[in-house]
Amino acid sequence: MAQHQVNYTQDGGLPVALTTIDKVVNWGRSNSLWALTYGLACCGIEMMASGASRYDFDRFGTIFRASPRQADVLIIAGTLTKKHAEFIKRLYDQMTEPRWVISMGSCANTGGMFNTYATVQGADRIVPVDLYLPGCAPRPETLQYGVMLLQKKIRSEKAIKAQKPKRLL
Amino acid sequence: MQVKNRLRPFFENINFDRKDNELILNFGPQHPSAHGQLRLMLHLQQEQVVKAHPDIGYLHRGMEKMAENMIYNEFMPTTDRMDYIASSSNNYGFALAVEKLIGLEVPRRAKVIRMMLLEINRLISHLFWLATTALDIGAMTVFLYAFREREYLMDLVEDYCGARLTHSAIRIGGVPLDIPDTFLPDLKKFLDKLPQNIKDYEDLLDTNRIWQMRMEEVGVIPTELALSWGCTGPMLRASGVAWDIRKEEPYELYDEVDFDIPVSDKCDNYARYKLYMMEMRESAKILYQVMDMYAETSTELMAHAPQYISAPKLDIMTQNYSLMQHFVLVTQGMRPPVGEVYVATESPKGELGYYINSQGGPYPYRLKLRAPSFWHTGILTDLLPGHYIPDVVSIIGTTNIVFGEVDR
């Protein structure tokens, strides 16, 4: 990293700056985004296809985990119904900070084509969402691009920012 | 049982009668092997299930009610989202029901293309079943292999209609497009490879000791139980009943093609697995025959019924009357005659039935979907008791349930 000559005696001349901690932490976080296996409906199939042989999510460092305790990112893949809504809240609460949420597909974004009595009209009514992916169902390429955008977002964040307690109101 | 007005969440205020040291295990709805959103309440005696209670409705989207407020063509994309692993077979069941209702005869080329789509969907669905079941049981390699083969078929469907998962490729009265030039050679290339691929899976699984221990003598459904729960498709055929709607009441061109119905009387998980593998071979056999039929058909793709189906694009653009009819059909929708119809088709998972009650208006008065997975979920109540917890996963795997279809 520090190939150049550093004048240690100069004020502020140390080769490590505070911002590099951010960078190092964010580098680690953004390249090991473990996702929760949370296939709710059709998008879940495309999510599985992204993880399978052709689209190979592992090269992004995205590995699907079955437990919310081990997951960093919640991909809401499919229709969120009112009956299921309390579980998504519970799973989100069980995930450890820092955590991110991708809303995949029209149903999770806005309710999509299912404007009925049973469907939550957008997952962001239940949990905060970082990224919305359009499509019904989005192709695996879309999800890959979405994960890359999320990595970009994480890299631009402050590493300690997420550890602040979130105010509910 | 549940106090709905309490502030505590819904799932925490369920009271159970506890007389002994039974453990109640809540399985799902977020469970990697729950195939979507199945929630099981399992009463356990040590590791053995003594009582199982499937709780469904976590993906209930109100499709049947939606259908009552939609014109017939508008409902077609919604059927995609039912059994989303094989969407064309849902499209087809609905299209066939409406066609029966209004008495349409579909051109032969459309029939051939439909047959191709249906069998490709069957292959996609069975490959997906193999992948997920193998993954649930721990065979990661088969998961990756089966998904690889599935992607070739997805590409074929994408070449045809532009969508990977939710096709809407079958319309009421025919199909919207002819197949592209590369379709048949690509399909043939895939089919020539398929027997070797299936053999690869079987080499990996058939005599695998873990696979045998998890599958053989597990999840035995006796014939009477399967019949009394209304099981259809591979679930019924693995229990020794040779029942396939493609043979019993042939639709499309299934009476013209030569294929066998694999049946097994072993009734266990392993029998179902073998059955899926054999059905894939039969699908390939059907596809070869249908590909030969394609060349002999004329180019017509949609049925001619100006009252119900829009004219071809050329007529709409050149003839005023066709344009008017098209406008009315798009804005107001077709009005089938008064009557009711129930049409069952053999979807990859079993008998997929559509009941439509028409009062002569542009919207169906009632539309009932008879989805096979619903009944295959119900049987878990009788099937799981007596098994151990790890068997629950393999049994759910082989019942091949899809929650878009169970809850609608």
Side-chain angles (χ1 to χ4, degrees), chain B residues 271-339:
Chain B
R272 263 164 259 149
Y273 151 69
K274 288 307 281 181
L275 212 79
Y276 278 110
M277 303 308 260
M278 284 190 297
E279 282 201 359
M280 280 200 260
R281 294 198 173 96
E282 293 303 318
S283 286
K285 212 160 100 185
I286 296 173
L287 276 170
Y288 273 124
Q289 296 172 43
V290 176
M291 276 160 63
D292 293 339
M293 284 180 186
Y294 176 78
E296 299 154 11
T297 52
S298 64
T299 53
E300 216 179 337
L301 287 174
M302 291 290 270
H304 180 71
Q307 204 185 339
Y308 303 114
I309 311 289
S310 294
K313 194 79 180 169
L314 187 69
D315 288 356
I316 294 172
M317 290 311 197
T318 51
Q319 293 174 21
N320 193 19
Y321 192 66
S322 296
L323 179 67
M324 279 159 60
Q325 272 180 331
H326 176 64
F327 180 75
V328 170
L329 282 172
V330 168
T331 52
Q332 295 175 16
M334 65 175 81
R335 293 167 189 269
V338 181

Side-chain angles (χ1 to χ4, degrees), chain B residues 53-266:
Chain B
H53 174 69
D55 184 9
I56 60 167
Y58 288 100
L59 196 52
H60 176 67
R61 304 181 273 199
M63 283 190 183
E64 290 174 11
K65 192 67 193 167
M66 280 168 77
E68 291 168 20
N69 297 306
M70 281 180 168
I71 63 174
Y72 287 88
N73 278 321
E74 213 179 347
F75 187 61
M76 188 60 84
T78 317
T79 57
D80 278 333
R81 276 93 186 155
M82 258 175 65
D83 175 4
Y84 34 78
I85 296 165
S87 5
S88 286
S89 44
N90 302 301
N91 295 157
Y92 176 70
F94 180 64
L96 189 66
V98 180
E99 281 156 16
K100 275 257 172 77
L101 191 64
I102 56 186
L104 275 184
E105 185 57 34
V106 176
R108 194 172 164 85
R109 175 161 287 191
K111 282 186 176 178
V112 169
I113 295 174
R114 283 175 171 200
M115 289 270 288
M116 282 184 199
L117 285 173
L118 288 180
E119 291 307 317
I120 287 175
N121 269 276
R122 195 178 307 276
L123 282 172
I124 288 178
S125 172
H126 284 8
L127 284 170
F128 185 85
W129 170 84
L130 180 70
T132 48
T133 309
L135 185 67
D136 289 348
I137 292 176
M140 189 84 185
T141 318
V142 179
F143 168 76
L144 294 173
Y145 282 2
F147 254 83
R148 182 189 61 192
E149 262 69 66
R150 184 171 169 268
E151 288 293 333
Y152 287 112
L153 289 167
M154 303 285 267
D155 276 358
L156 273 175
V157 177
E158 199 187 328
D159 280 349
Y160 176 65
C161 67
R164 271 168 59 86
L165 202 66
T166 46
H167 310 144
S168 297
I170 293 170
R171 301 286 155 80
I172 298 165
V175 286
L177 302 159
D178 207 344
I179 52 175
D181 293 340
T182 54
F183 191 88
L184 288 181
D186 285 353
L187 181 58
K188 185 158 186 316
K189 215 190 289 172
F190 174 80
L191 290 177
D192 290 344
K193 245 176 349 131
L194 187 67
Q196 183 56 43
N197 290 328
I198 297 175
K199 196 174 164 293
D200 284 349
Y201 310 144
E202 286 185 337
D203 286 349
L204 283 167
L205 295 175
D206 262 7
T207 51
N208 185 321
R209 211 152 50 118
I210 302 170
W211 185 261
Q212 281 177 326
M213 281 164 73
R214 300 289 299 273
M215 292 301 229
E216 280 176 345
E217 310 286 314
V218 173
V220 178
I221 308 175
T223 313
E224 305 81 52
L225 187 69
L227 287 171
S228 67
W229 271 102
C231 287
T232 44
M235 289 276 279
L236 186 62
R237 291 196 282 275
S239 296
V241 183
W243 176 267
D244 190 319
I245 298 167
R246 290 176 293 172
K247 282 275 188 208
E248 302 296 327
E249 299 174 11
Y251 47 91
E252 292 303 299
L253 304 171
Y254 279 112
D255 46 351
E256 293 180 28
V257 292
D258 170 45
F259 66 102
D260 301 320
I261 307 172
V263 187
S264 166
D265 52 5
K266 292 262 180 58

Side-chain angles (χ1 to χ4, degrees), chain A residues 53 79 81 83-84 86 117, chain B residues 11 37 56 58 60-61 144:
Chain A
S53 35
T79 317
T81 56
K83 190 173 179 181
H84 197 101
E86 65 193 50
Y117 55 89
Chain B
F11 47 84
Q37 310 189 26
I56 60 167
Y58 288 100
H60 176 67
R61 304 181 273 199
L144 294 173

